Amino acid sequence: MGKDTLGYVAERADILAASEASTQVTKDAARAWQDAVAADGSDAAVDVATAQLLDTLEGRPSTIDDVIAFAQGPAREMFGEEAAAQILAQQQQRKEQGEAWCDCDACTAAVELLTTFGRIEG
C-alpha cells in the first residue's frame, strides 16, 4: 500500500475510532488496525490489517433509508419531534439528490474506505 493510501486509511481509522456515531465493534476494529500498523508497518501486515478492517466495516454504514426510518421512529423519542422532523427532512432531501448513505462522520469514513477498496459503490 502506498504512503498516500496508508495516510488515507489512517485518517479514516482515526475518525472511526473516535466517533460517537461508531459502534463499539467499529471502534475496536479501527483501533485494531491502528495497533497492527504501529506494530508492523510492512506492506503485508498493513494489507492484512486493512482487509480485516474492511471486513468489519462491510454492512455497517447506514443507508439513507435506514436514517429515514430512524428519523421517523426512534429519533422522535430520542431527540424530540422537532429535531426528528428536521433530520427527516434533511435526509429525504439528500435521498432525492441521489445520496445513498448516512452522512454522519462514522458512516462517511466507512463508506469512503469501502468505496476506495471496491467493496461497495459510493
Side-chain angles (χ1 to χ4, degrees):
M1 176 178 304
K3 185 178 177 180
D4 290 342
T5 304
L6 179 62
Y8 180 85
V9 176
E11 288 173 4
R12 277 131 193 97
D14 289 346
I15 292 167
L16 293 167
S19 175
E20 291 184 20
S22 288
T23 65
Q24 191 60 51
V25 170
T26 299
K27 288 179 181 187
D28 292 346
R31 289 182 185 124
W33 182 89
Q34 292 167 327
D35 292 345
V37 171
D40 183 352
S42 69
D43 286 344
V46 170
D47 289 346
V48 168
T50 301
Q52 290 172 338
L53 175 60
L54 295 171
D55 288 347
T56 301
L57 294 178
E58 280 189 313
R60 294 206 171 268
S62 296
T63 66
I64 193 75
D65 290 330
D66 292 338
V67 180
I68 289 170
F70 172 75
Q72 292 171 326
R76 294 164 66 193
E77 188 172 309
M78 293 174 69
F79 305 120
E81 293 290 334
E82 187 175 323
Q86 289 175 351
I87 293 169
L88 179 60
Q90 288 173 330
Q91 298 308 315
Q92 287 173 328
Q93 182 179 16
R94 290 183 66 247
K95 183 175 180 173
E96 288 172 12
Q97 295 169 346
E99 297 295 333
W101 301 100
C102 173
D103 60 347
C104 78
D105 62 344
C107 286
T108 298
V111 166
E112 289 170 348
L113 286 172
L114 292 168
T115 302
T116 297
F117 287 92
R119 301 279 186 111
I120 62 171
E121 291 184 23

